[in-house]
């Protein structure tokens, strides 16, 4: 890893991680050398709006974070990638970057997954990330809107709040800014409560999110949205089916039509991924299946194949996820896979005509009835208690540095990660007294 620059050190101290995904520590990206920095404002998970709301209310802060990152990475340009349909936001951003020659706006179409960083890097730079690679391999750093917002705050406050949209079957869909560690139940209550009795949340979105039924779970730095749905909604039933049901249905009903592959956004960019071959592997013994499973190694789990492409309602995207996990358990990754022949990706000529409009996706997911504005609620919320996980990031978990009974103030360090290890510290999101320390720190106001 490159030596940390001042900005990267600041981001590490402030606990900044990628707010839109697995929580990759941002100081790593900030200490790399890039020629282009992209702010990913595509937000293509249906119904989620938190990035739009952050831009509507905090565009100058986001631009400030982008400029700091451009400067730290030595990049010559910073690009905000946003869907063309958000005309108001594009106008706000144009005003915010006026006179800043290194910054520009890239207008994206309204398709899924416009936010996939491989697609986005290609759309903006014309470069294809090598197979098994990451954006910096082609000189690009990509961060989502909230991450860049947090970067702009890092010299004043560590990351103690998270933004999320709460929508779906709730009385008042909204976007909230809440202390990290607030419970999902409190977020739903702030959105007016659920409109049906037996509801679950799609945590992170309809496509890539997971079904959560225990609303006592805490929000983390990477929480981005909760779509509340009745437990009997077809999308929930589909996501809840589980591996053995996915395998059984796949074995008996996949007719190898190849539509899952034909619409796979990574396949269309020229990557060695073919979900129909992973499905074919279901018919083979465990050892032979391993060979077929390697066609899943470059899957980004966007679930377009499962939730849109397959005419039989099978789940090739989920099967690819299991295949990758099985291969990882046997230490098989792209770099040591026999499929890896050092080949370079090459865009499929038909790709521009195979982008899936969000409107069609919403209809297929059965979410049209839940279409609603989810404006940012500005008033601060003080939860009576928070439960802050010590691992909200890629890397080693933070080690607690507080004890039960200790008084803490919002912003105080409560979990530490040694300098030589990958990870970031964790901070108190409210002032109060520490009431439990396990793999989380509970603070009661
Ligand atoms: S689209 Fe469905 S039926 Fe067709 S190959 Fe893929 S998993 Fe099988
Ligand atoms: S989930 Fe399906 S569509 Fe998405 S990258 Fe994986 S195989 Fe392709």
């Amino acid at each position: 890893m490159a030596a940390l620059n001042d900005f990267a050190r600041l981001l590490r101290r402030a606990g900044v991680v990628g707010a839109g995904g697995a929580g990759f520590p941002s100081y790593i990206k900030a200490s790399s050398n890039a020629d282009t920095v992209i702010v990913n404002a595509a937000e293509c998970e249906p119904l989620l709006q938190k990035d739009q709301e952050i831009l509507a209310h905090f565009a100058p802060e986001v631009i400030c974070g982008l400029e700091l990152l451009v400067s730290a990475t030595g990049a010559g340009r910073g690009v905000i990638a946003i869907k063309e349909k958000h005309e108001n936001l594009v106008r706000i951003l144009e005003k915010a970057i006026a006179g800043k020659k290194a910054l520009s706006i890239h207008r994206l179409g309204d398709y899924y997954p416009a936010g996939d960083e491989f697609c986005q890097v290609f759309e903006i730079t014309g470069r294809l990330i090598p197979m098994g690679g990451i954006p910096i391999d082609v000189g690009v750093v990509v961060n989502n809107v909230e991450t860049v917002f947090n970067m702009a705050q890092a010299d004043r406050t560590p990351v103690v709040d998270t933004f999320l949209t709460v929508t779906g079957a709730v009385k008042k869909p909204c976007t909230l800014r809440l202390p990290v560690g607030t419970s999902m139940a409190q977020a739903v209550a702030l959105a007016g409560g659920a409109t049906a009795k037996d509801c679950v949340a799609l945590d992170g979105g309809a496509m890539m999110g997971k079904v959560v039924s225990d609303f006592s779970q805490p929000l983390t730095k990477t929480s981005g949205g909760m779509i509340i749905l009745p437990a009997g909604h077809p999308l929930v039933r589909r996501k809840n089916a589980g591996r053995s049901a996915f395998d059984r249905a796949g074995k008996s009903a996949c007719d190898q039509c190849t539509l899952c592959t034909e619409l796979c956004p990574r396949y269309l960019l020229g990557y060695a991924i073919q979900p129909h071959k992973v499905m074919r592997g279901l018919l083979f013994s465990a050892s032979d299946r391993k060979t077929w499973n390697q066609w899943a190694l470059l899957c980004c789990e966007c679930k377009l194949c499962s939730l849109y492409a397959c005419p039989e309602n099978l789940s090739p995207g989920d099967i690819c996820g299991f295949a990758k996990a099985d291969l990882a358990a046997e230490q098989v990754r792209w770099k040591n896979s026999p499929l890896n022949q050092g080949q370079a990706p090459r865009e499929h000529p038909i790709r521009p005509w195979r982008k899936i409009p969000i409107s069609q996706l919403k209809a297929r997911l059965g979410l049209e009835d839940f279409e609603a504005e989810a404006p940012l609620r500005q008033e601060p919320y003080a939860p009576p208690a928070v439960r802050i996980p010590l691992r909200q990031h890629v890397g080693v978990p933070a080690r607690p540095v507080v004890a039960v009974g200790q008084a803490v103030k919002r912003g105080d360090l409560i979990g530490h990660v040694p300098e030589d290890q990958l990870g970031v510290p964790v901070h108190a999101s409210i002032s109060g007294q520490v009431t439990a320390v396990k793999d989380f720190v509970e603070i009661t106001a």
Side-chain angles (χ1 to χ4, degrees), residues 253-261 276 279 309-312 314 316:
C254 176
D255 58 10
Q256 291 290 288
C257 71
T258 75
L259 262 178
C260 49
T261 295
H276 77 281
M279 294 298 279
C310 180
E312 309 288 344
L314 303 177

Side-chain angles (χ1 to χ4, degrees), residues 264-266 273 275 299-305 317 320:
C264 169
R266 292 281 176 104
I273 167 153
C299 168
C300 65
E301 298 183 44
C302 73
K303 302 290 170 66
L304 194 65
C305 52
C320 283

